[in-house]
Amino acid sequence: MKSEPDSSASEDLGADFAKALEQGWLPIREVARQTGVNAVTLRAWERRYGLIVPHRTPKGHRLFNADHVQR
């Protein structure tokens, strides 16, 4: 039995998320890839130290900009 291919993550997250990506915001998985810092660690630093406070979509997804990545 052949299954349908999975949709991309941005399609599953909705129009607000897709619009933010078009404006240059990055999801946490991309920040983790670019910086080499695990997403779990990024979330912990946000929670514990307020080091970086990402933008949130209406559904609560974290989005980061280039300044966040540089920091």
Side-chain angles (χ1 to χ4, degrees), residues 23-26 31 34 52 54-55 63-71:
Q23 294 173 350
W25 291 93
L26 302 171
V31 174
Q34 287 184 18
I52 295 174
H55 172 75
L63 295 172
F64 300 83
N65 61 27
D67 291 335
H68 292 138
V69 174
Q70 183 61 39
R71 188 166 188 197

Side-chain angles (χ1 to χ4, degrees), residues 9-35:
S10 61
E11 289 175 9
D12 293 341
L13 297 174
D16 290 331
F17 189 82
K19 185 175 179 181
L21 294 179
E22 289 172 7
Q23 294 173 350
W25 291 93
L26 302 171
I28 196 166
R29 67 181 177 272
E30 180 59 21
V31 174
R33 188 191 70 75
Q34 287 184 18
T35 63

Side-chain angles (χ1 to χ4, degrees), residues 8 17 34 45 49 54 61 71:
S8 73
F17 189 82
Q34 287 184 18
W45 288 351
Y49 311 115
H61 298 284
R71 188 166 188 197

